[in-house]
Amino acid sequence: GFLPLQGHVVRNWKVRWFVLLQDKLLYYKIEGGKKEPSPKGRILLDGCTITCPCLEYENRPLLIKLKTKTNTDYFLECCSREERDSWALDITGAIHAGHPVQVQELHKMKNSFKLLENISLHNIVERMYDSNTGIKLTRNLDQGNRYKETFTGSALVDWLISSSFAVSRFEAVTLASMLMDENFIRPVGVRSTEATRSSDPSEKFLDDSTALYMFAESSKKNTSSKEEVHFNISELSGTIVKQGFLVKQGHKRKNWKVRKFVLRADPAFLHYYDPTKEDNKPVGGFSLRGCLVSALEDNGVPAGVKGNVQGNLFKIITKNDIHYYIQASSKAERVQWIEAIKPLT
């Protein structure tokens, strides 16, 4: 699948097509909408260590870090927590292929808790901010340092249970860990910060009245301009239904670029982002009301499509008669996107 990768020499981000094999991770360049035949590079997994979640970049909370036995660091970015955890699990399984017990434990850990389908982390954070029913922010002292607008680990666990987001303290701790992984909240003070260095994921967030946390800067609401607020409320407030990397044909140059697509409902919008950019703002998007979406056959290139495309094409026609040509990574993924979009049109 597609993942943004940070370069080693020039520290920019490029989207590559990754293929995981038993002992290596290959990545390919995409040209003209098609994967090149030879790999652009390879990551040897023998002796490799994986860090997930990797919090080295505050504005990229969905990173996986791979360090090879020659001490080369690779940073890969996923588009969702589920995708990140799936990649991390499979890569870890390949690294420890000779140790089936460790792989079994990884699967158990992954399946130990699942977020309810009707709950999103964004909704939880919105509720946390509520001045009446949200979590209470207080001043706290930690080893001589004063912190404003903080909350304790145990206070967050209590709030998650009382707000019906979790039914047990174990579930609430897991949910709080997700909020920290996704950079919605961050630890402050010695005790909570040291806990994040634990190798055990279940011990990274502390259900403790002396462990302090606060909202991360990136999750604070930005109301700097009326235009931006209007844009956020009108288009980006819907529930995320589906997200992932797809290849899109440009309107003017007709070239193909990998974009991160986010499908939202209520209101129904499809936005796309440039995953190589540092800011997390859409570079385009449109309302799905009145749209037509359909698969395009792979035998022959349809009119309006330029370049030597890979296949698995589908088309969205807006009510203003704007045509979007998009490639999925497989036929199954194309079906999933079409089935997700259709009910929202």
Side-chain angles (χ1 to χ4, degrees), residues 290-326:
C291 284
L292 296 174
V293 57
S294 60
L296 297 175
E297 296 304 321
D298 294 337
N299 51 343
V301 179
V305 175
K306 305 295 182 183
N308 188 13
V309 297
Q310 188 82 15
N312 306 311
L313 283 164
F314 63 99
K315 177 171 69 172
I316 301 174
I317 305 174
T318 69
K319 63 181 180 181
N320 298 326
D321 200 34
I322 299 173
H323 293 225
Y324 290 87
Y325 295 99
I326 302 167

Side-chain angles (χ1 to χ4, degrees), residues 149-278:
E149 298 188 330
T150 59
F151 47 86
T152 66
S154 57
L156 179 54
V157 169
D158 291 340
W159 183 86
L160 288 168
I161 294 172
S162 65
S163 302
S164 302
F165 289 117
V167 297
S168 68
R169 299 196 80 79
F170 170 75
E171 286 189 3
V173 167
T174 308
L175 201 49
S177 299
M178 291 180 184
L179 291 170
M180 194 164 63
D181 286 351
E182 302 302 321
N183 208 32
F184 288 115
I185 64 173
R186 64 182 180 88
V188 289
V190 176
R191 189 137 195 276
S192 57
T193 303
E194 284 183 349
T196 61
R197 301 189 182 100
S198 171
S199 58
D200 187 343
S202 65
E203 296 177 1
K204 290 182 184 293
F205 179 89
L206 298 178
D207 178 8
D208 193 293
S209 60
T210 62
L212 301 182
Y213 299 88
M214 68 188 303
F215 288 113
E217 287 295 321
S218 61
S219 70
K220 289 185 178 178
K221 294 180 181 179
N222 184 355
T223 54
S224 58
S225 71
K226 292 181 180 179
E227 183 181 359
E228 185 175 347
V229 173
H230 176 72
F231 180 73
N232 287 338
I233 291 173
S234 64
E235 297 189 17
L236 302 177
S237 61
T239 303
I240 294 178
V241 176
K242 186 174 177 60
Q243 55 187 327
F245 295 112
L246 298 167
V247 190
K248 173 188 167 294
Q249 181 179 262
H251 290 296
K252 294 180 180 178
R253 296 177 60 191
K254 303 298 181 185
N255 56 346
W256 292 88
K257 297 287 185 182
V258 177
R259 295 289 180 250
K260 174 186 172 182
F261 280 78
V262 178
L263 177 64
R264 293 180 174 89
D266 300 321
F269 272 85
L270 185 63
H271 290 96
Y272 49 95
Y273 301 71
D274 184 345
T276 67
K277 301 295 184 187
E278 291 300 326

Side-chain angles (χ1 to χ4, degrees), residues 64-234:
I64 296 171
K65 178 182 177 181
L66 295 174
K67 182 184 280 290
T68 66
K69 65 179 180 182
T70 58
N71 288 324
T72 303
D73 291 339
Y74 292 87
F75 292 93
L76 318 177
E77 185 179 36
C78 299
C79 67
S80 68
R81 183 183 186 277
E82 293 74 20
E83 185 191 51
R84 181 196 64 189
D85 291 351
S86 178
W87 269 104
L89 188 77
D90 290 339
I91 292 169
T92 306
I95 293 171
H96 299 298
H99 306 280
V101 175
Q102 286 181 311
V103 177
Q104 219 171 24
E105 288 300 315
L106 283 163
H107 279 280
K108 281 183 186 176
M109 188 174 69
K110 181 187 178 186
N111 297 321
S112 61
F113 174 77
K114 290 187 177 178
L115 189 62
L116 295 175
E117 290 183 5
N118 62 338
I119 296 177
S120 77
L121 296 182
H122 288 276
N123 290 342
I124 293 174
V125 174
E126 287 290 327
R127 287 277 299 277
M128 287 175 69
Y129 272 113
D130 191 285
S131 57
N132 297 317
T133 61
I135 192 161
K136 303 304 178 190
L137 302 178
T138 59
R139 295 171 181 264
N140 282 286
L141 189 67
D142 184 271
Q143 296 198 357
N145 295 317
R146 293 185 181 277
Y147 297 99
K148 296 179 181 178
E149 298 188 330
T150 59
F151 47 86
T152 66
S154 57
L156 179 54
V157 169
D158 291 340
W159 183 86
L160 288 168
I161 294 172
S162 65
S163 302
S164 302
F165 289 117
V167 297
S168 68
R169 299 196 80 79
F170 170 75
E171 286 189 3
V173 167
T174 308
L175 201 49
S177 299
M178 291 180 184
L179 291 170
M180 194 164 63
D181 286 351
E182 302 302 321
N183 208 32
F184 288 115
I185 64 173
R186 64 182 180 88
V188 289
V190 176
R191 189 137 195 276
S192 57
T193 303
E194 284 183 349
T196 61
R197 301 189 182 100
S198 171
S199 58
D200 187 343
S202 65
E203 296 177 1
K204 290 182 184 293
F205 179 89
L206 298 178
D207 178 8
D208 193 293
S209 60
T210 62
L212 301 182
Y213 299 88
M214 68 188 303
F215 288 113
E217 287 295 321
S218 61
S219 70
K220 289 185 178 178
K221 294 180 181 179
N222 184 355
T223 54
S224 58
S225 71
K226 292 181 180 179
E227 183 181 359
E228 185 175 347
V229 173
H230 176 72
F231 180 73
N232 287 338
I233 291 173
S234 64

